[in-house]
Amino acid sequence: WKLLMTQGQFPRGRNLGSMQLSRLSIVVTCLCLHAAAVHGSAPGSASTPPDLQLQPTQSPGSVLLRTPNALAGAGVKEFVKHSPAFSLLTIKLEGGSSIRAEAGAMVAMQDVDLRTEWGSSKGQGMFGSCLGPMLSSLTQTVGGMSFCKNIFTGGDSGRGWVSLAPSFPGDIVVHHLNPMAELFIQPGSFLGCWPNIETALATKGFKAMLSGEGPLFIRASGGIHGGKVYLASYGAIEKLLVKDGEVVTVDSGHIVAYEDSLTFSIGIAGQIFFGGEGFVCHFKVRHKGDDKGKEGFVYVQTRNGPRTSSSDH
């Protein structure tokens, strides 16, 4: 308006003609369209970008923020076949969609690109770009994780798929990890996950050593978006619910994974140690200060046997 007044097209104190009104309406329309483009939405359109619309997940009553394919598992569909004795996990990947799996877990694939990452999914750590991945990989190998991780990404056709399986006979479960939640997994039971899930080794201290399963667990973190984790077992998998005020006792050799809302203590099943059961884990809901948990799940396997990483096949 100031520019038009300066150029004298609209003299002050005079009425605007029809031609001038037409020019003015065109200018105002252009300014409105420009402002809408700057703010990322056209007049009358939704203010929420399509990549941030909430989409339902397979878990009833929960939602997952829709993000680009490579970040939070969009375009990924999982199917478990031949359960529970010799389970096979087949994952359909749309173009650009990715999953991360233990080395040696791949059975077959089609129209999928494969690349390999070294060390922890959290990056290089405090030891620099060279020493960090080496120490991280060495620590994970000692703790039961494979030396490297394979990233499978769907090809341009949008019809890619990859099948995964552990090196031992048993079951496979797809666990939905909520945002900001964690899952503690026994070494050897971790098969893979969505690429945004962070995995690292965590220690449970002396009580974990007494349990007979070793002092290290694999900690999977959901981050701000959540995602899915693929679990493998020796034998079938049973999912046990632990409510607040209850205690569920599990033989240490049958633990597959448990949610971070739970904690456990070490004990013996009976009054004497030599009853044949050995050490057991007593699971209960963990209370963090004023944050009183309600329940949590622990996964157990129906057989007690050796579980090695998939890279050992």
Side-chain angles (χ1 to χ4, degrees), residues 19-44:
M19 181 65 68
Q20 293 172 332
L21 286 175
S22 299
R23 292 178 181 176
L24 179 60
S25 63
I26 294 175
V27 172
V28 173
T29 302
C30 293
L31 291 176
C32 292
L33 291 175
H34 174 72
V38 171
H39 291 283
S41 61

Side-chain angles (χ1 to χ4, degrees), residues 36 39-53:
H39 291 283
S41 61
S45 64
S47 59
T48 304
D51 284 344
L52 294 181
Q53 294 177 358

Side-chain angles (χ1 to χ4, degrees), residues 52-69:
L52 294 181
Q53 294 177 358
L54 292 177
Q55 297 292 333
T57 65
Q58 293 184 356
S59 298
S62 64
V63 292
L64 178 66
L65 202 61
R66 184 182 177 186
T67 55
N69 287 5

Side-chain angles (χ1 to χ4, degrees), residues 6 17 35 43 58 63 69 85 101 104-105 116 127 150 154 183 216 223-224 240 257 285:
T6 304
Q58 293 184 356
V63 292
N69 287 5
T116 301
F127 297 101
N150 289 329
L183 184 72
L216 299 176
I224 61 174
L240 304 178
V285 173

Side-chain angles (χ1 to χ4, degrees), residues 292-312:
K292 186 177 181 180
K294 295 182 179 180
E295 61 184 27
F297 288 98
V298 54
Y299 291 93
V300 300
Q301 60 184 16
T302 59
R303 296 294 182 269
N304 186 350
R307 286 171 288 182
T308 57
S309 66
S310 299
S311 59
D312 293 336

Side-chain angles (χ1 to χ4, degrees), residues 255-280:
I255 299 173
V256 173
Y258 65 94
E259 294 181 319
D260 63 339
S261 57
L262 302 179
T263 185
F264 69 89
S265 59
I266 300 297
I268 57 176
Q271 296 181 350
I272 59 175
F273 179 76
F274 301 101
E277 295 299 331
F279 288 109
V280 295

Side-chain angles (χ1 to χ4, degrees), residues 101-164:
E102 287 282 273
M106 192 273 293
V107 176
M109 66 180 184
Q110 183 180 23
D111 192 24
V112 169
D113 297 325
L114 171 62
R115 64 182 176 90
T116 301
E117 289 184 351
W118 301 90
S120 170
S121 65
K122 288 192 173 182
Q124 299 169 353
M126 59 181 293
F127 297 101
S129 59
C130 295
L131 186 58
M134 294 174 60
L135 292 179
S136 176
S137 300
L138 177 61
T139 304
Q140 292 183 61
T141 302
V142 173
M145 298 177 68
S146 61
F147 192 71
C148 58
K149 299 291 186 296
N150 289 329
I151 308 297
F152 298 89
T153 303
D156 295 334
S157 71
R159 298 189 298 271
W161 57 268
V162 57
S163 293
L164 307 176

